[in-house]
Amino acid sequence: AAAALEFGSQFIVVSLDARREADGVVRLTSHGGRRATGVDALDFARRMAETGAGELLLNDMDRDGTGDGFGVALLRQVSDAVDIPIIASGGAGSPADFVAAVQQGGADAVLAASVFHDGVLSIDDVKAAMAAAGVPVRRSRPAQPAQPGGTA
């Protein structure tokens, strides 16, 4: 809460690595999803929103790196539980997955890493699919030519 007061909630993004456990409860993990914390993810998300977080980055550890799509059900649970933006992470495999995260899961933003780094998807293709589905996206910036006498 002190950081939100001093810097503004727009600068406070809380990252949640969540995993559904055998009892069906979604709990937070640490160490890249390898260690259970016992902390209820929805309770923690609510507490972070109440204490000044401006956004939550929700990484579904059950889907992270699978390419099977974002955890839409988990996204919907968290987005329904808090009134701050949610960034979806974990599981992207196709442009349609990004659309589903926003339209079905209630995510306000989406992120992915390996599908872009490994060349499975292009950012332009994902943006085009999202725009075609009616999801607002920022246009890609054209490459800027090098300035004469400047540094690259």
Side-chain angles (χ1 to χ4, degrees):
L5 288 172
E6 183 167 342
F7 302 107
S9 62
Q10 74 275 14
F11 291 110
I12 309 299
V13 179
V14 176
S15 179
L16 310 173
D17 285 350
R19 171 168 276 135
R20 190 169 305 278
E21 294 186 356
D23 61 2
V25 176
V26 178
R27 293 192 176 90
L28 298 180
T29 64
S30 67
H31 295 81
R34 293 184 305 277
R35 290 193 189 165
T37 66
V39 176
D40 183 289
L42 290 176
D43 289 343
F44 189 79
R46 286 185 197 101
R47 193 165 59 242
M48 292 301 97
E50 291 166 2
T51 57
E55 293 182 73
L56 299 176
L57 191 161
L58 179 61
N59 190 12
D60 188 333
M61 298 308 292
D62 293 320
R63 293 185 167 274
D64 194 38
T66 66
D68 291 336
F70 294 98
V72 172
L74 177 57
L75 281 167
R76 178 52 62 191
Q77 279 184 287
V78 175
S79 67
D80 286 348
V82 299
D83 290 327
I84 59 175
I86 306 296
I87 305 165
S89 177
S94 74
D97 295 335
F98 292 81
V99 173
V102 173
Q103 292 183 337
Q104 297 166 20
D108 298 279
V110 288
L111 74 78
S114 61
V115 292
F116 297 127
H117 297 306
D118 296 342
V120 174
L121 298 175
S122 78
I123 293 171
D124 288 338
D125 288 345
V126 169
K127 285 185 172 190
M130 293 179 78
V135 176
V137 294
R138 290 185 193 161
R139 294 185 318 165
S140 296
R141 294 182 181 164
Q144 299 296 315
Q147 298 296 316
T151 58

